[in-house]
Amino acid sequence: GLINLKSKYTKETLKYVFNLIDFDNFEEKKKKLIERGKIIIEHQKNHVISISNHGKIINFEGYKSYIINTIYEPSLIEEYLLELEKYKDVEIFIMWYKNNDKFKVSLRANNSSTADLSIIAKKYGGGGHTKAAAFILDNIDNLKYKEWK
C-alpha cells in the first residue's frame, strides 16, 4: 500500500498528527467553527444585498438581465439576489470586474431562464455551460446591451 505502517517514520508522523488533534474537544471546536462560518456567510450575504443597488436591470441578448461590477463569486451573487423579490424575474445575472487590463465577465442564468449562456459567451469569445458561462473583454464597453423597458 501507499502507507507502510511498519516504517519508523510513518509511525512517528502519525503520532505527531494525532497529537495535534484535540479529540476530547473536537465536537465543541467543530460547533464553534460552524457558528463562525454562519456569521461569515451572513455578513457576505448582507454585503452582496447592500451592493445590489449599484447594479441595474438591462436587456442583454433579448433577456431581462441584471449587471453589476463585483469581485464576489458569481454563484453567490445569483443565489443571494434571487432571494429578493425584485430579482425573481431576472433571467441572466452578469457580474464583471477588471483584472489587470482585461474585463472578466461571468454569466449566470436563473433556473427558469431559457437562455443558453454558452452560446452567448461564444459570441464574445468565451464559453461555458447552459446556465453558467464567462468571457474576457479588452473593454467593458464592448459588452452590448440595451436599457430594459
Side-chain angles (χ1 to χ4, degrees), residues 47-56 66-69 87:
H47 186 71
V48 167
I49 291 170
S50 73
I51 66 167
S52 70
N53 294 327
H54 300 288
K56 69 179 186 176
Y66 174 80
I67 187 168
I68 188 167
N69 177 355
Y87 300 115

Side-chain angles (χ1 to χ4, degrees), residues 41 45 74-84 93:
I41 289 170
K45 179 180 178 179
S75 297
L76 286 178
I77 297 282
E78 175 198 7
E79 176 185 338
Y80 295 152
L81 294 184
L82 280 176
E83 292 179 13
L84 302 175
F93 291 88

